[in-house]
Amino acid sequence: MIIKVDSISDYPKIIYSMKYYFSKHIKVEKISLSESKIKKGEKCVWQRRYWEHTIRNEQDFNRHLDYIHYNPIKHNLVKSSKDYKYTTFQKFVKLGFYEENWCNFEDKNKIADLDFE
């Protein structure tokens, strides 16, 4: 997720609020939860921590945008970015940032370039 904040100190409040609201409203089917998650009231939707990164320039922004739109492919949810419905990918296609068929699963060169790990 990419967000614009007035101050870096706003990140924790925003992330906490988002996770709290979403977790309170999601219906979780029978999922095996650890004792630790049960004690803390977690529903295993979110990672406990998040990684904050301040975007430095346009190239950095584009790289992170690519990473976000590639993630559903990386985790085998879809074969193409255009097929994932919970994304801003189509919005960015309309804005001219991407071609409709950008980064299909078979496109090994792009996928290698987007691996942040």
Side-chain angles (χ1 to χ4, degrees):
M1 149 174 96
I2 296 176
I3 59 175
K4 183 177 181 181
V5 296
D6 293 328
S7 167
I8 196 165
S9 66
D10 292 339
Y11 278 114
K13 294 178 271 187
I14 292 168
I15 299 300
Y16 174 82
S17 297
M18 182 189 67
K19 288 180 174 183
Y20 181 84
Y21 181 84
F22 183 87
S23 296
K24 284 290 186 193
H25 293 87
I26 188 172
K27 294 180 181 169
V28 179
E29 299 295 322
K30 295 179 183 175
I31 297 176
S32 174
L33 297 176
S34 69
E35 270 189 56
S36 174
K37 286 187 183 275
I38 292 168
K39 278 183 182 177
K40 294 178 180 178
E42 296 176 358
K43 296 186 178 181
C44 88
V45 175
W46 303 105
Q47 294 177 340
R48 287 188 176 162
R49 303 187 191 280
Y50 65 92
W51 178 66
E52 176 276 320
H53 171 78
T54 300
I55 301 294
R56 308 283 184 232
N57 53 38
E58 187 174 350
Q59 181 183 7
D60 194 27
F61 173 77
N62 290 334
R63 184 170 156 85
H64 282 81
L65 201 59
D66 289 350
Y67 178 79
I68 288 169
H69 292 130
Y70 164 66
N71 235 8
I73 297 168
K74 178 179 179 180
H75 294 286
N76 297 315
L77 298 172
V78 292
K79 296 283 185 195
S80 175
S81 295
K82 69 180 179 183
D83 298 330
Y84 192 64
K85 66 181 182 178
Y86 305 106
T87 185
T88 56
F89 180 73
Q90 291 299 332
K91 174 184 175 180
F92 283 95
V93 168
K94 288 178 185 170
L95 292 171
F97 278 71
Y98 296 105
E99 295 293 322
E100 181 77 21
N101 291 316
W102 175 85
C103 203
N104 290 312
F105 184 76
E106 292 77 22
D107 193 348
K108 302 295 184 195
N109 292 329
K110 282 185 185 172
I111 290 172
D113 291 344
L114 297 176
D115 192 5
F116 279 40
E117 298 177 339

